[in-house]
Each structure stands twice: as structure tokens, then as C-alpha cells.
Amino acid sequence: MARKTANDDPLAPVTLAVGQEDLLLDRAVQEVVAAAKAADADTDVRDLTPDQLQPGTLAELTSPSLFAERKVVVVRNAQDLSADTIKDVKAYLGSPAEEITLVLLHAGGAKGKGLLDAARKAGAREVACPKMTKPADRLAFVRGEFRSVGRSATPEACQALCDAIGSDLRELASAASQLVADVEGTIDEAVVGRYYTGRAEASSFTVADRAVEGRTAEALEALRWSLATGVAPVLITSALAQGVRAIGKLSSARGGRPADLARELGMPPWKIDRVRQQMRGWTPDGVAVALRAVAEADAGVKGGGDDPEYALEKAVVTIARAARSRGRG
């Protein structure tokens, strides 16, 4: 979720939304607009791109009105404003107008950093909207979606939703909202499976789970479905690698409670329980064989082979056999 500064009043004279996650940027704008309209239903909202905010435009938009109307002025991609317009904005930051809220959306990089620094120096309310590139960040986002509306979802359900939907935050938010609207009580993994079974079966993590569990036929079926529905092969090799490495980490770890192992291995406790169930047929040699298979598949899908699909199938079969190596030993 977006992080905010201590000044958390959405009607602060200036709000600075920084980052490249479009959903969070849009939500930052929506929060300000909603607060303004709650204070004055006739609030005038102007949503502008850099080419629409020419030198002098901001002064016109923020000049005193005969009717003293409340106004929200949103400036998107503020890092792309012209030098002259940036001068206008900086001047405005020093003396913001009453009844007007300025919302600056800035990507946060080096471009336009002078404006970013000026807004911060002026005491702007800041909302951080970073791109969520890590699975753990997206998982935390999903949990936050349920918590924000007072609903309970199990850790397994949140993970299943991330596995099924993927990395698009808008789709994750929409899926969580759909579950909240349709399901009473605690949302669990079974509910997510019923709603998003087609997508869950296509998930790269489903392929990995079935493979490390030694379920060859189901793993291959999930793999073919994934590829048919457009899942990138590199995502599948990544999921396979994560699955095998988790087996290796837990098999070499000291015994203990899931919470203790979670801290030691950097995994959530619920995942410790899942991997414990998956690792029953594994041996150290099996883990080594599986890791080599993943490395070969990774090279194959990244241009080292002629047939990425065959490379993945070969890896899945090898991993599933390795998962049963203890029983064969």
C-alpha cells in the first residue's frame, strides 16, 4: 500500500505522490478528491498533463474566485514539466492559495528532482507510490486490501490470489474486491481456488508446486495450460527454482517451530508448513539434480535451446522424479 508522511490530511495545501505504481498514484488522487468533495460537493477538479500546464496556467487556476470555490488541481508526470512551468510551481509552493489543493504526481527519479526537493522543503504531504516488483510486496498489498475493508483472509488465500492473478496491482485489487463482495466470513485458499481456478492452474507457482510434490502428470498439465494462456517461460523457471531452493533450505535447516524457521530462512510461517509437506520424498542428491535441471531449463528458455517448451517439460519431469528419490532409494 502507499506510504504517507506524518501530515496525513488529504486537504493539505500540497500533496506529493511519488513513484511509478499507477494504481497507487490514482488512489492518492482519488483520496484527495474524495476529501475535497466531502468538504464541498461542488469542488472543481482539474486533472492536467504536462502539456496542458503551460507557463501562467497554474496562476490562472489558483487565482482567487468570486465564489471562493474549493478546487483540486492535479498535475500528472510533474517531472516532465517545462522549465518555465516548474518555476511557476515552485513559486506557488511558497504561498499556496486557500481552498485549493495541489496534487503533484512525480515519478521520483533524477528527472525533475528540483521540483521534488522544492515540494518537500515546502512541507508537502507526501504519499509514496513505489512500483511493487517483489512478490513479498504484492502479498503485503493483498493483505492490506482485505484489512482495509475489515475482512479476514488466510495467508494461504492471499498467496493463492497472488499466484493466480500475477503482478498487476489493478487486477489483484479487483480480485480482492470481488471476493469481499461475494464471500461471507473468512476468505480461505479453497474460496480463491473456486473463483480463480483457471488462472490458478495457469500459474507458474502451481506448476512448481505440483513438480516438487512429485505429481508429474498434474505438473505437466499445469505447465501446458500455463504456456497456452501466455505465461512467460522465464516466470515458470523462476518459480521452479524458488520451489526447489525452498526444499533445499528447509531440509538443511535445524529443526524448530515454523516461526523460528521463518526468521532463519526468510520465509513466512505458512510457507514453512507447506514446504515441510512437499519435502517428504526429497534427498540432498535429489535437490542437486533438480537444481541442475532448473539451470538447464533456464538456459533453454533464454535462448540457449531451440524449444523452450521442451526444456520446461524436461525440467518438470526431472524435478518430479527427484521429489520421489527417497522412496526409490
Side-chain angles (χ1 to χ4, degrees):
M1 296 179 68
R3 300 187 301 275
K4 301 170 186 175
T5 57
N7 175 14
D8 198 21
D9 180 6
L11 292 182
V14 180
T15 286
L16 179 64
V18 184
Q20 299 179 41
E21 188 59 70
D22 289 340
L23 174 64
L24 300 183
L25 291 167
D26 285 346
R27 284 185 173 181
V29 173
Q30 291 163 9
E31 182 183 28
V32 172
V33 171
K37 292 202 169 186
D40 180 353
D42 295 325
T43 294
D44 181 19
V45 179
R46 303 295 181 93
D47 198 323
L48 307 170
T49 56
D51 61 306
Q52 294 174 314
L53 194 67
Q54 298 298 317
T57 305
L58 184 61
E60 293 176 10
L61 291 173
T62 57
S63 60
S65 167
L66 179 63
F67 302 102
E69 63 181 351
R70 181 177 290 277
K71 189 178 294 185
V72 175
V73 178
V74 180
V75 180
R76 296 184 182 272
N77 298 311
Q79 71 278 358
D80 295 330
L81 292 171
S82 69
D84 288 338
T85 303
I86 287 177
K87 289 179 182 178
D88 286 353
V89 177
K90 286 182 177 180
Y92 177 81
L93 293 173
S95 182
E98 292 185 11
E99 300 298 311
I100 293 178
T101 299
L102 175 65
V103 185
L104 299 174
L105 276 56
H106 194 293
K111 187 177 182 182
K113 189 173 183 299
L115 177 58
L116 192 63
D117 292 342
R120 286 169 171 161
K121 187 176 180 180
R125 166 182 179 259
E126 185 168 345
V127 182
C129 305
K131 200 76 176 173
M132 294 192 181
T133 57
K134 296 179 180 178
D137 291 339
R138 293 191 289 272
L139 183 58
F141 171 80
V142 169
R143 289 172 175 163
E145 290 295 286
F146 290 120
R147 281 199 303 268
S148 67
V149 292
R151 293 297 300 276
S152 175
T154 67
E156 294 83 359
C158 294
Q159 184 63 58
L161 194 61
C162 289
D163 292 349
I165 302 301
S167 61
D168 189 293
L169 244 58
R170 290 188 189 278
E171 291 193 23
L172 284 169
S174 176
S177 177
Q178 184 69 51
L179 290 169
V180 166
D182 291 357
V183 178
E184 295 183 358
T186 299
I187 296 165
D188 59 20
E189 189 175 15
V191 168
V192 175
R194 286 199 302 272
Y195 269 72
Y196 299 102
T197 181
R199 298 184 74 161
E201 288 170 3
S203 160
S204 55
F205 288 100
T206 302
V207 177
D209 283 342
R210 299 297 86 80
V212 300
E213 290 162 4
R215 296 154 66 176
T216 308
E218 292 175 47
L220 288 173
E221 181 182 0
L223 171 64
R224 289 161 188 156
W225 185 255
S226 293
L227 294 171
T229 53
V231 176
V234 292
L235 295 180
I236 299 174
T237 56
S238 175
L240 290 171
Q242 290 182 49
V244 175
R245 286 174 187 146
I247 297 287
K249 279 184 178 181
L250 192 56
S251 62
S252 61
R254 300 187 303 274
R257 298 176 304 168
D260 296 331
L261 288 170
R263 285 192 294 271
E264 180 184 344
L265 302 178
M267 297 181 191
W270 66 263
K271 189 170 184 179
I272 297 290
D273 292 333
R274 175 181 287 182
V275 176
R276 270 180 168 165
Q277 294 174 356
Q278 294 174 333
M279 64 183 284
R280 288 172 183 164
W282 285 87
T283 65
D285 287 343
V287 172
V289 167
L291 287 173
R292 284 197 296 272
V294 171
E296 291 173 2
D298 189 55
V301 303
K302 291 179 178 176
D306 296 328
D307 190 343
E309 183 172 340
Y310 173 73
L312 286 169
E313 287 186 356
K314 182 180 177 182
V316 164
V317 170
T318 301
I319 293 168
R321 286 177 178 169
R324 300 192 300 272
S325 56
R326 190 183 300 278
R328 294 200 307 272

